[in-house]
Amino acid sequence: MTDVFIARQPIYDRAGDVYAYELLFRETEADQNANILDGDQASCHLILQAMTAVGLNVLAEQQLAFINVTHNLLASGVLNTLPKQRVVLEVLENVVADEPILQAVAQLSREGFKIALDDWVYEVNNAAFLDLADIVKLEVQNKSKNELLAQLRYLSPTGTQLLAEKIENQTQHDLCIELGFSYFQGYHLARPVICRGKTIPPNRLSLMRLMAQFQDSELNLEELQRLISLDISISYQLLRLINSAFFGLGRKVDSVRHAVTLLGTEAIRKWVTLLTLAGINEQPTVLIKEAFVRARMCELLARHTGQQGSEKYFMVGLFSVLDQLLQIPMPEILEELPLAQDITDALLEHKGSMGEALSCVILFESGTIDQCRHFAQLNEHHTSQLYFESLNWAHAFIEEMGVDIS
């Protein structure tokens, strides 16, 4: 369980309406500068949290979202998985305009992304970005009118829109309007507001194994689905992602199998790359082992009684501890994670076949085997065998991960 924080600061147009929000990574709720992580980690965390922990519609409402992107992120090729109709890619001032990066930015522009240049100051080695930019951000704090005019001489012929940032008072705002700026941002207009969310950090070894599997030319969707299903965090974040406003599918995606089929191996490889770049390094706990036991036994109960969709049983067991992991009531979690009604009923009220399987597992955990209504006419002995088989499977899996949960 991890609290995550994203600050958002509005960007206004000349009419005083909100044009967009710049999203800013924050390490803590009190953090104002995000100095702990380097730029790559901050940007990766920001993108992942905006998608899966907080939500783009919460952060940017119906407006555009400006997201800072680094040299390594541009070079990684993962950015084209973002929704081009909602995101402005803000190229940071320290990104060098070498040929590979220019080609990457040009490709993103051709795909329909708006490109902004952050804290821009004319230099010979960054001038090539101007041909690709839709918006140029100029820092106006402590700048005189003549200093701004000197920068505008380079920008006016390009036809790019100008955004004045770090506006500290009304005089600066009035000057920027006079000079023809289209957009305005700064403490004088609005300070960043922090939004909070919660997420489950994935195990780093799981990510490494997934990354290694992507190098296998024989990797198929079935194997990818299996690998993702073995990590509660990656499963959870994948389903939050596929059901988010970023994709706007208009229908529920209620299983890892369905999500993997819709996204395909290449898109998932890019998201796993983002998770890896973010440098998340938390380890499973006893609660995670409990999730594995529940998931495995629910799956085995389904298989041994001929139920269809055993992967959905696995997910019900896996997700049954989310309320404890996140310290959020299950109904609130499921509001943010749209699932099929039978899965929701199983998690909330132990209804239906999947709910009965989950209830059976929980009763075994508590030692009240005599109260267990044995699933699908399996006898107590057979059910006990499946439970201990699940315990051994979960223990072996955790041990293989090299994690101490004692």
Side-chain angles (χ1 to χ4, degrees):
M1 176 187 67
T2 301
D3 288 315
V4 297
F5 307 96
I6 296 176
R8 68 171 198 171
Q9 185 176 28
I11 296 169
Y12 296 91
D13 61 20
R14 290 178 70 86
D17 297 322
V18 175
Y19 166 70
Y21 290 92
E22 180 171 6
L23 306 185
L24 305 160
F25 172 77
R26 293 294 181 259
E27 181 77 13
T28 67
E29 194 165 17
D31 175 33
Q32 294 301 311
N33 299 308
N35 290 325
I36 296 176
L37 296 179
D38 64 23
D40 291 333
Q41 289 180 310
S43 292
C44 291
H45 275 288
L46 174 67
I47 292 170
L48 292 166
Q49 292 165 9
M51 287 196 212
T52 62
V54 183
L56 186 64
N57 283 346
V58 171
L59 292 165
E61 300 171 14
Q62 300 305 310
Q63 313 304 328
L64 292 169
F66 278 60
I67 293 178
N68 293 338
V69 294
T70 62
H71 184 283
N72 288 340
L73 263 183
L74 287 166
S76 71
V78 302
L79 293 173
N80 62 4
T81 55
L82 293 172
K84 59 190 175 188
Q85 71 278 13
R86 298 296 310 278
V87 167
V88 178
L89 301 177
E90 189 171 332
V91 181
L92 293 174
E93 66 274 14
N94 58 1
V95 175
V96 178
D98 57 30
E99 190 58 32
I101 292 300
L102 286 171
Q103 290 180 9
V105 175
Q107 179 61 33
L108 290 164
S109 179
R110 285 192 295 271
E111 291 176 8
F113 285 93
K114 285 184 177 293
I115 306 297
L117 305 180
D118 186 39
D119 289 346
W120 193 84
V121 176
Y122 177 80
E123 295 177 2
V124 173
N125 64 358
N126 70 9
F129 278 135
L130 288 177
D131 293 332
L132 303 170
D134 301 287
I135 298 170
V136 174
K137 300 181 73 172
L138 293 183
E139 186 177 311
V140 302
Q141 184 182 32
N142 301 323
K143 296 288 195 311
S144 68
K145 181 176 182 178
N146 286 337
E147 288 174 314
L148 290 174
L149 284 170
Q151 293 295 312
L152 296 183
R153 278 196 291 271
Y154 295 108
L155 296 171
S156 296
T158 68
T160 56
Q161 294 180 302
L162 303 177
L163 191 161
E165 61 178 340
K166 296 195 176 178
I167 296 174
E168 299 294 320
N169 53 57
Q170 188 62 46
T171 300
Q172 289 176 349
H173 191 196
D174 292 341
L175 174 60
C176 293
I177 291 175
E178 175 191 337
L179 294 177
F181 282 80
S182 298
Y183 306 113
F184 312 89
Q185 180 183 15
Y187 282 5
H188 172 67
L189 302 171
R191 290 178 173 268
V193 173
I194 290 183
C195 302
R196 177 199 293 257
K198 285 183 179 290
T199 192
I200 312 169
N203 175 267
R204 192 174 183 87
L205 186 53
S206 295
L207 293 173
M208 294 298 103
R209 286 179 171 168
L210 267 174
M211 289 297 292
Q213 288 295 325
F214 281 122
Q215 309 308 309
D216 183 358
S217 60
E218 300 298 319
L219 178 69
N220 57 38
L221 292 180
E222 288 288 330
E223 178 64 9
L224 184 59
Q225 178 261 325
R226 187 190 72 81
L227 291 169
I228 291 171
S229 294
L230 292 176
D231 190 293
I232 185 173
S233 171
I234 299 175
S235 300
Y236 170 74
Q237 294 198 46
L238 176 64
L239 288 173
R240 282 293 304 271
L241 167 66
I242 196 70
N243 285 295
S244 72
F246 282 89
F247 288 92
L249 295 177
R251 55 182 172 141
K252 292 179 181 179
V253 177
D254 57 15
S255 72
V256 170
R257 180 188 297 273
H258 193 186
V260 168
T261 301
L262 285 173
L263 287 178
T265 56
E266 181 59 20
I268 292 178
R269 182 192 64 77
K270 290 177 178 180
W271 288 115
V272 172
T273 300
L274 271 176
L275 285 166
T276 306
L277 286 173
I280 302 169
N281 194 28
E282 297 295 327
Q283 298 291 353
T285 64
V286 172
L287 195 57
I288 296 296
K289 183 177 180 181
E290 181 179 302
F292 284 139
V293 173
R294 290 185 179 185
R296 181 62 171 173
M297 186 171 178
C298 285
E299 179 185 43
L300 290 178
L301 286 170
R303 289 182 178 179
H304 281 261
T305 56
Q307 306 294 325
Q308 297 297 312
S310 61
E311 74 278 356
K312 293 175 73 172
Y313 284 75
F314 186 95
M315 190 171 66
V316 165
L318 193 70
F319 282 6
S320 66
V321 303
L322 279 178
D323 52 345
Q324 298 174 68
L325 280 171
L326 298 176
Q327 296 295 295
I328 297 174
M330 187 66 79
E332 293 183 28
I333 295 172
L334 296 180
E335 284 179 12
E336 298 296 323
L337 185 63
L339 296 172
Q341 192 60 47
D342 57 350
I343 297 177
T344 298
D345 290 344
L347 289 169
L348 288 179
E349 302 177 52
H350 296 180
K351 286 185 176 179
S353 179
M354 287 182 284
E356 290 179 14
L358 177 61
S359 179
C360 180
V361 178
I362 292 172
L363 286 168
F364 265 76
E365 288 175 349
S366 65
T368 53
I369 302 175
D370 57 318
Q371 298 178 27
C372 177
R373 190 176 70 190
H374 295 295
F375 185 76
Q377 284 74 56
L378 288 177
N379 61 39
E380 181 176 324
H381 174 72
H382 197 174
T383 308
S384 297
Q385 281 187 321
L386 295 182
Y387 179 72
F388 287 109
E389 181 181 334
S390 301
L391 276 174
N392 291 333
W393 179 89
H395 179 77
F397 178 75
I398 293 292
E399 190 175 66
E400 182 186 354
M401 298 278 287
V403 175
D404 181 10
I405 60 168
S406 58

